[in-house]
Amino acid sequence: MRLRLIPLGTSAGRPTLQRGASALAVAAEGAWVLCDCGEGAQLSAQRAGLSLSRLDAVLITHLHGDHFNGLPGLLGTLGLEGRQRPLVVAGPPGLAELLQHLARAGSLGTGEMEVRVLEQRGNGGEVRVEGSQFEVESRPLAHRVPTFGFRVALPARTGTLDVEAAVVAGVPAGPLFADLKAGRPVTLPDGRVVEPAGLVGPPRRGASMAYALDTVPCPSAVELARGVDALVHEATYEHGRAALAHERGHSTGVEAARIAADAEAATLVLTHFSPSVNGDAVAEEARSIHPRIVAAKDLLEIAVDR
Ligand SMILES: [Zn+2]
């Protein structure tokens, strides 16, 4: 199974006519999670054909407006739709209090829906999204306010069964194959027991992605993105303005490429472009460091396969 990355907003600081404020959908069969929820994210999600009822979780990196301001509106829409299923909203410390303020002021309108706020702390860790196929983890990043990046993966799949070898071992085609694939020894009609070892390959890792916004280049981003199929990293400025980027807690495309190379991420997706930069040019100057770089564009889907 593969993941689909659908950028819903790729601008830094504020939306422009070409780029919405930060938001990215990570979708698999029948469900999706939303990384950041800048202003306009719910409209972009509708344009992308994503069903809001299939949203499993919202992962907010930090509370700057260009990553958060779309959340109250999205929660209100889910409330109006009469959603009963709880919604996980993970994010930095302070998220719960902020949402409580908005709820008390009557700004949220979440109706019957329970919003499960999971504040990330310290070195981050597992983000439990009950009933979801997605495996989510967080790690702290280095920005001007408490910020966490997220890693989203599909579960590991069972190894491949060597059918020929199984038949040679005397296992008849049928339900016993499924037992072997699941790692269980099987008993044959003649009483012999056949172990799965040697007949079934190792489990195959599910597709995975990491989302690192906003941050200066930091070791924690490398840890977050270790071995992922796609790293989505901010690239607010071109490398000529690295000093400005750092002063504002951001990275350049070249620096994001170094992070991706260090983490051995297969593909790098650059996003969070300042309205003053050309995203394609930022990607181009980073290509000498990492061979597979995509400059994200709103609603331009990126397939992530293992
Ligand atoms: Zn930002």
Side-chain angles (χ1 to χ4, degrees):
M1 259 213 310
R2 61 181 201 160
L3 288 171
R4 296 156 54 217
L5 306 185
I6 305 147
L8 301 179
T10 57
S11 179
R14 62 189 162 91
T16 68
L17 287 175
Q18 287 76 36
R19 300 183 185 275
S22 286
L24 176 97
V26 182
E29 205 79 11
W32 59 291
V33 295
L34 176 61
C35 296
D36 278 335
C37 193
E39 187 182 341
Q42 62 166 317
L43 275 174
S44 287
Q46 285 183 47
R47 289 197 181 99
L50 293 158
S51 159
L52 292 185
S53 65
R54 293 176 183 272
L55 176 62
D56 282 359
V58 182
L59 313 172
I60 301 287
T61 55
H62 63 298
L63 297 179
H64 280 159
D66 59 323
H67 299 253
F68 172 82
N69 284 346
L71 184 61
L74 171 64
L75 295 178
T77 298
L78 293 173
L80 282 174
E81 285 186 348
R83 178 178 171 127
Q84 303 282 324
R85 188 158 70 100
L87 179 75
V88 165
V89 181
L95 174 64
E97 200 188 348
L98 180 51
L99 289 176
Q100 279 158 19
H101 272 295
L102 290 169
R104 272 200 296 275
S107 306
L108 289 191
T110 48
E112 303 280 289
M113 176 179 66
E114 180 202 341
V115 179
R116 276 190 196 154
V117 179
L118 303 178
E119 291 192 350
Q120 308 302 298
R121 291 177 193 282
N123 200 35
E126 185 195 357
V127 177
R128 270 185 62 81
V129 187
E130 248 168 70
S132 172
Q133 66 192 309
F134 296 107
E135 296 173 353
V136 183
E137 270 180 61
S138 72
R139 286 279 178 282
L141 297 174
H143 193 41
R144 288 172 289 144
V145 294
T147 301
F148 286 81
F150 294 93
R151 181 183 174 113
V152 179
L154 292 172
R157 289 167 294 174
T158 52
T160 312
L161 174 68
D162 184 340
V163 172
E164 236 168 74
V167 170
V168 169
V171 183
L176 293 185
F177 277 11
D179 284 343
L180 283 176
K181 277 193 80 165
R184 292 188 289 268
V186 297
T187 307
L188 303 184
D190 64 9
R192 276 190 303 129
V193 174
V194 176
E195 298 286 340
L199 298 179
V200 181
R204 294 165 294 163
R205 233 164 35 80
S208 61
M209 63 80 65
Y211 184 80
L213 278 70
D214 290 351
T215 189
V216 294
C218 66
S220 188
V222 177
E223 204 184 308
L224 179 77
R226 181 81 60 204
V228 290
D229 301 302
L231 165 63
V232 180
H233 197 289
E234 72 131 289
T236 309
Y237 297 107
E238 64 283 287
H239 205 54
R241 287 195 281 172
L244 176 69
H246 300 166
E247 189 185 305
R248 296 183 175 173
H250 293 301
S251 305
T252 69
V254 165
E255 289 167 333
R258 287 188 194 128
I259 298 285
D262 287 354
E264 297 183 358
T267 296
L268 171 63
V269 179
L270 298 178
T271 187
H272 196 268
F273 299 115
S274 161
S276 64
V277 309
N278 175 328
D280 290 324
V282 169
E284 191 49 45
E285 69 176 356
R287 286 207 174 91
S288 60
I289 296 161
H290 193 286
R292 286 193 62 184
I293 301 183
V294 179
K297 292 191 170 65
D298 287 28
L299 302 182
L300 214 67
E301 182 174 324
I302 300 151
V304 178
D305 279 307
R306 267 217 68 74

CSV table of all heavy atoms in Angstrom, one decimal, residues 11-14 21-22 36 61-62 64-67 143-144 213-215 234 236 248 250 272, ligand 1:
chain,number,residue,atom,x,y,z
A,11,SER,N,2.7,27.8,1.3
A,11,SER,CA,3.3,29.1,1.5
A,11,SER,C,3.8,29.3,2.9
A,11,SER,O,3.2,28.7,3.8
A,11,SER,CB,2.3,30.2,1.1
A,11,SER,OG,2.8,31.5,1.3
A,12,ALA,N,4.8,30.2,3.1
A,12,ALA,CA,5.2,30.5,4.4
A,12,ALA,C,4.6,31.9,4.9
A,12,ALA,O,4.5,32.8,4.1
A,12,ALA,CB,6.7,30.7,4.5
A,13,GLY,N,4.1,31.9,6.1
A,13,GLY,CA,3.7,33.2,6.7
A,13,GLY,C,2.2,33.5,6.3
A,13,GLY,O,1.4,33.8,7.2
A,14,ARG,N,1.9,33.6,5.1
A,14,ARG,CA,0.5,34.0,4.7
A,14,ARG,C,0.2,33.3,3.4
A,14,ARG,O,1.1,33.0,2.5
A,14,ARG,CB,0.5,35.5,4.5
A,14,ARG,CG,1.4,36.0,3.5
A,14,ARG,CD,1.4,37.5,3.5
A,14,ARG,NE,2.6,38.0,2.8
A,14,ARG,CZ,2.5,38.4,1.5
A,14,ARG,NH1,1.5,38.2,0.8
A,14,ARG,NH2,3.6,38.9,0.9
A,21,ALA,N,-1.7,28.7,3.0
A,21,ALA,CA,-0.9,28.6,4.2
A,21,ALA,C,-0.7,27.1,4.5
A,21,ALA,O,-1.5,26.2,4.1
A,21,ALA,CB,-1.6,29.3,5.4
A,22,SER,N,0.3,26.8,5.3
A,22,SER,CA,0.8,25.4,5.5
A,22,SER,C,-0.3,24.4,5.8
A,22,SER,O,-1.0,24.5,6.8
A,22,SER,CB,1.8,25.3,6.6
A,22,SER,OG,3.0,25.9,6.1
A,36,ASP,N,-0.5,20.0,9.8
A,36,ASP,CA,-0.8,21.5,9.9
A,36,ASP,C,-2.1,21.8,9.3
A,36,ASP,O,-2.6,21.1,8.4
A,36,ASP,CB,0.4,22.3,9.2
A,36,ASP,CG,1.5,22.4,10.2
A,36,ASP,OD1,1.3,22.4,11.4
A,36,ASP,OD2,2.7,22.6,9.7
A,61,THR,N,2.2,21.3,14.0
A,61,THR,CA,3.6,21.4,14.4
A,61,THR,C,3.8,22.4,15.4
A,61,THR,O,4.6,22.2,16.4
A,61,THR,CB,4.5,21.7,13.1
A,61,THR,OG1,4.0,22.9,12.5
A,61,THR,CG2,4.4,20.6,12.1
A,62,HIS,N,3.2,23.6,15.2
A,62,HIS,CA,3.4,24.7,16.2
A,62,HIS,C,2.2,25.6,16.1
A,62,HIS,O,1.4,25.5,15.1
A,62,HIS,CB,4.7,25.3,16.1
A,62,HIS,CG,5.0,26.0,14.8
A,62,HIS,ND1,5.0,25.4,13.6
A,62,HIS,CD2,5.2,27.3,14.5
A,62,HIS,CE1,5.3,26.2,12.6
A,62,HIS,NE2,5.4,27.4,13.1
A,64,HIS,N,2.0,28.9,15.5
A,64,HIS,CA,2.0,30.1,14.6
A,64,HIS,C,0.8,30.0,13.7
A,64,HIS,O,0.4,28.9,13.2
A,64,HIS,CB,3.3,30.2,13.8
A,64,HIS,CG,4.5,30.7,14.6
A,64,HIS,ND1,5.8,30.5,14.2
A,64,HIS,CD2,4.5,31.5,15.7
A,64,HIS,CE1,6.6,31.1,15.1
A,64,HIS,NE2,5.8,31.7,16.0
A,65,GLY,N,0.2,31.2,13.4
A,65,GLY,CA,-1.0,31.3,12.7
A,65,GLY,C,-1.0,30.6,11.4
A,65,GLY,O,-2.0,30.0,11.0
A,66,ASP,N,0.1,30.6,10.6
A,66,ASP,CA,0.1,30.0,9.3
A,66,ASP,C,0.1,28.5,9.3
A,66,ASP,O,0.0,27.9,8.3
A,66,ASP,CB,1.3,30.6,8.4
A,66,ASP,CG,2.6,30.3,9.0
A,66,ASP,OD1,2.8,30.3,10.3
A,66,ASP,OD2,3.6,30.0,8.3
A,67,HIS,N,0.1,27.9,10.5
A,67,HIS,CA,0.0,26.5,10.7
A,67,HIS,C,-1.2,26.1,11.4
A,67,HIS,O,-1.5,24.9,11.5
A,67,HIS,CB,1.3,25.9,11.4
A,67,HIS,CG,2.5,26.2,10.6
A,67,HIS,ND1,3.2,25.3,9.9
A,67,HIS,CD2,3.2,27.4,10.4
A,67,HIS,CE1,4.3,25.8,9.3
A,67,HIS,NE2,4.3,27.1,9.6
A,143,HIS,N,12.5,25.7,16.4
A,143,HIS,CA,11.9,26.9,15.8
A,143,HIS,C,11.9,28.0,16.9
A,143,HIS,O,12.4,27.8,18.0
A,143,HIS,CB,10.5,26.5,15.3
A,143,HIS,CG,9.9,27.6,14.4
A,143,HIS,ND1,10.6,28.3,13.5
A,143,HIS,CD2,8.6,28.0,14.3
A,143,HIS,CE1,9.8,29.1,12.8
A,143,HIS,NE2,8.6,29.0,13.3
A,144,ARG,N,11.2,29.1,16.7
A,144,ARG,CA,11.1,30.1,17.7
A,144,ARG,C,10.1,29.9,18.8
A,144,ARG,O,10.2,30.5,19.9
A,144,ARG,CB,10.8,31.5,17.0
A,144,ARG,CG,11.9,32.0,16.2
A,144,ARG,CD,11.5,33.2,15.4
A,144,ARG,NE,10.5,32.8,14.3
A,144,ARG,CZ,9.5,33.5,13.9
A,144,ARG,NH1,9.2,34.7,14.5
A,144,ARG,NH2,8.7,33.1,13.0
A,213,LEU,N,8.4,21.0,9.7
A,213,LEU,CA,8.1,22.4,9.6
A,213,LEU,C,7.8,22.9,11.0
A,213,LEU,O,7.1,22.2,11.7
A,213,LEU,CB,6.8,22.6,8.8
A,213,LEU,CG,6.8,22.6,7.2
A,213,LEU,CD1,7.0,21.2,6.7
A,213,LEU,CD2,5.5,23.1,6.8
A,214,ASP,N,8.1,24.1,11.4
A,214,ASP,CA,9.1,25.0,10.9
A,214,ASP,C,10.4,24.7,11.7
A,214,ASP,O,10.2,24.5,12.9
A,214,ASP,CB,8.7,26.4,11.0
A,214,ASP,CG,7.6,26.8,10.1
A,214,ASP,OD1,7.2,26.0,9.2
A,214,ASP,OD2,7.1,27.9,10.2
A,215,THR,N,11.5,24.8,11.1
A,215,THR,CA,12.7,24.5,11.9
A,215,THR,C,14.0,25.0,11.2
A,215,THR,O,14.0,25.2,10.0
A,215,THR,CB,12.8,23.0,12.1
A,215,THR,OG1,13.9,22.7,13.0
A,215,THR,CG2,13.1,22.2,10.8
A,234,GLU,N,10.6,22.1,5.4
A,234,GLU,CA,10.5,23.5,5.0
A,234,GLU,C,11.7,24.0,4.3
A,234,GLU,O,12.8,23.5,4.5
A,234,GLU,CB,10.2,24.3,6.3
A,234,GLU,CG,11.4,24.5,7.2
A,234,GLU,CD,11.6,26.0,7.6
A,234,GLU,OE1,12.0,26.7,6.7
A,234,GLU,OE2,11.3,26.3,8.7
A,236,THR,N,12.2,27.8,3.5
A,236,THR,CA,11.5,29.1,3.4
A,236,THR,C,12.3,30.1,2.5
A,236,THR,O,11.6,30.9,1.8
A,236,THR,CB,11.5,29.7,4.8
A,236,THR,OG1,10.9,28.7,5.7
A,236,THR,CG2,10.6,31.0,4.9
A,248,ARG,N,15.1,33.8,11.6
A,248,ARG,CA,13.7,33.6,11.8
A,248,ARG,C,13.3,32.2,12.1
A,248,ARG,O,12.1,31.9,12.1
A,248,ARG,CB,13.0,34.1,10.5
A,248,ARG,CG,13.2,35.6,10.2
A,248,ARG,CD,12.5,36.1,9.0
A,248,ARG,NE,12.7,37.5,8.9
A,248,ARG,CZ,12.2,38.2,7.8
A,248,ARG,NH1,11.6,37.7,6.8
A,248,ARG,NH2,12.4,39.5,7.8
A,250,HIS,N,14.2,29.4,10.4
A,250,HIS,CA,13.9,28.6,9.2
A,250,HIS,C,15.1,28.0,8.6
A,250,HIS,O,16.2,28.2,9.0
A,250,HIS,CB,13.2,29.5,8.2
A,250,HIS,CG,11.8,29.9,8.7
A,250,HIS,ND1,10.8,29.0,9.0
A,250,HIS,CD2,11.3,31.2,8.9
A,250,HIS,CE1,9.7,29.7,9.4
A,250,HIS,NE2,10.0,31.0,9.4
A,272,HIS,N,6.6,25.3,2.2
A,272,HIS,CA,6.7,26.5,3.1
A,272,HIS,C,7.7,27.5,2.5
A,272,HIS,O,8.7,27.9,3.1
A,272,HIS,CB,7.2,26.0,4.5
A,272,HIS,CG,7.0,27.0,5.6
A,272,HIS,ND1,8.0,28.0,5.9
A,272,HIS,CD2,6.0,27.3,6.4
A,272,HIS,CE1,7.5,28.7,6.9
A,272,HIS,NE2,6.3,28.3,7.2
B,1,ZN,ZN,5.4,28.9,9.2
